[in-house]
Amino acid sequence: MIFPVSQFTIPVLIVKSLSLRDIRCYASETLSFHPRFNLVYGENGQGKTNLLEAVYMLCRFKPLRGVSSSEIVRFGGRSSALLKGVIEKDSPALVTDVSVSFSDKGGKKVEVNGKRPANLAKKALDFEVVHFTPSEVELAKGSPSLRRRYFDSIICGLVPSHFQDILDFQRVLRQRNSFLASGRATSSGIALWDGQMAEIGARIVEKRLRLVKRINREIDTLYRGIGGADMGAKAQYETSFEISGGKRGELSNSIKKALENGFSRDTKARHTSTGPHRDRISLQIGGKDCALFASQGEARSVVLALKMAEIRLYQEIKKENPIFLLDDISSELDGKRRKFLFDMLLDYPGQVFVTSTSASDILYRGKHKKFRIQAGKVAE
Ligand SMILES: Nc1ncnc2c1ncn2[C@@H]1O[C@H](COP(=O)(O)OP(=O)(O)OP(=O)(O)O)[C@@H](O)[C@H]1O
Ligand SMILES: [Mg+2]
């Protein structure tokens, strides 16, 4: 079984209800959801993706990456968009009222049980969501920076101190780069930045390497299951500097040495050409880099396997079942792949939301609720 239910506890995280006001194409709508499986279907352009996006925003208090708050506000509606919902976590007695509003000027306001959380980013980790959308094929096909960011975001969900390390590393990198750009950089003067970059960078790379190893325990079987293929999949981490080992001390020494050795090159280039910000993470099928060789369907399957591996990680480490959002899954997965997916979702103890243009493409055999969406309204 891919998603084993814990012997002792079945941790639940359920969006029980959601009200949308002036969100994207929704003027005003209220929905109550099934605790396990929700199918959102309807023709193109009716509001299926917008509804999944709203579930995401209710749980994470922010739009998906690359979307600005002002885009969320409905054209021709009020000047702010409002989402309200009830989320149950761990037991039916533990429900949280969440309200998130976005202004067309770009601001937002979040209230949890009527109060503004002191630490919004930390509070958002209470309601873990894993999403799989058509554009995420880019995770396999796009630039390494996308994968670095994605792996870093998983680590932040598991080890909150990673977020501070990323911010600190970016700050030191900016300072080192402006020192190089000033044209006055000396090897003794830059040593201060090198030391800090090596120390913080080693913590970052150590966690990334550990994550890649854990992902690789899962992704091969998941990919073979989805693809029904002989070839397996894996993630690969390549440092932009030579390493003698994956322990923190070894990594720190390697980064420091690489920065020192690259000093004259960096002075000419006026930026830092080596370090964790230049490391490459690739996804591979049968040992070949997906960014170069995977077909669209293969790339989607490998990203889906990666997302499932991410869910397994939250189950193992945080003992949680994240909400799983799957947008437009029928578009690029063939019948065999879809069947595997729905068989697997039948075992998943967490809450799932799936969109499709056709309800008959959704081969889910368990209890569920269907929502037909038409022009920003639930038609049935
Ligand atoms: N801020 C906004 N205000 C009003 N309408 C919007 C806003 N943002 C997007 N829309 C519209 O919402 C409609 C529904 O979009 P959505 O992406 O949810 O459709 P969909 O049902 O997922 O379609 P598809 O099957 O093509 O993926 C689109 O026509 C889009 O232009
Ligand atoms: Mg859509």
Short mmCIF file of all heavy atoms in Angstrom, two decimals, residues 48-50 327-328 355, ligand 2:
data_model
loop_
_atom_site.label_atom_id
_atom_site.label_comp_id
_atom_site.label_asym_id
_atom_site.label_seq_id
_atom_site.Cartn_x
_atom_site.Cartn_y
_atom_site.Cartn_z
N LYS A 48 -12.92 25.81 -12.11
CA LYS A 48 -12.45 24.62 -11.37
C LYS A 48 -11.09 24.90 -10.73
O LYS A 48 -10.90 24.67 -9.54
CB LYS A 48 -12.32 23.41 -12.32
CG LYS A 48 -13.60 23.06 -13.04
CD LYS A 48 -13.44 21.88 -13.96
CE LYS A 48 -12.44 22.05 -15.09
NZ LYS A 48 -12.84 23.08 -16.08
N THR A 49 -10.16 25.41 -11.54
CA THR A 49 -8.82 25.71 -11.00
C THR A 49 -8.92 26.79 -9.92
O THR A 49 -8.25 26.71 -8.89
CB THR A 49 -7.89 26.17 -12.14
OG1 THR A 49 -7.78 25.11 -13.08
CG2 THR A 49 -6.50 26.53 -11.64
N ASN A 50 -9.80 27.77 -10.17
CA ASN A 50 -9.96 28.85 -9.18
C ASN A 50 -10.42 28.30 -7.83
O ASN A 50 -10.02 28.80 -6.78
CB ASN A 50 -10.99 29.87 -9.68
CG ASN A 50 -10.51 30.62 -10.93
OD1 ASN A 50 -9.36 30.50 -11.31
ND2 ASN A 50 -11.40 31.37 -11.55
N ASP A 327 -5.02 19.23 -10.04
CA ASP A 327 -5.75 20.00 -11.02
C ASP A 327 -5.61 19.39 -12.42
O ASP A 327 -4.49 19.15 -12.87
CB ASP A 327 -5.21 21.45 -11.02
CG ASP A 327 -6.11 22.38 -11.81
OD1 ASP A 327 -7.28 22.02 -12.05
OD2 ASP A 327 -5.65 23.48 -12.17
N ASP A 328 -6.74 19.15 -13.04
CA ASP A 328 -6.75 18.77 -14.45
C ASP A 328 -5.92 17.52 -14.73
O ASP A 328 -5.13 17.49 -15.67
CB ASP A 328 -6.16 19.96 -15.25
CG ASP A 328 -6.74 20.02 -16.64
OD1 ASP A 328 -7.64 19.22 -16.92
OD2 ASP A 328 -6.29 20.87 -17.42
N THR A 355 -9.79 18.07 -10.07
CA THR A 355 -10.61 18.71 -11.09
C THR A 355 -10.47 17.96 -12.41
O THR A 355 -9.43 17.36 -12.69
CB THR A 355 -10.22 20.18 -11.37
OG1 THR A 355 -9.01 20.19 -12.13
CG2 THR A 355 -10.05 20.99 -10.12
MG MG B 2 -8.30 24.69 -14.89
#
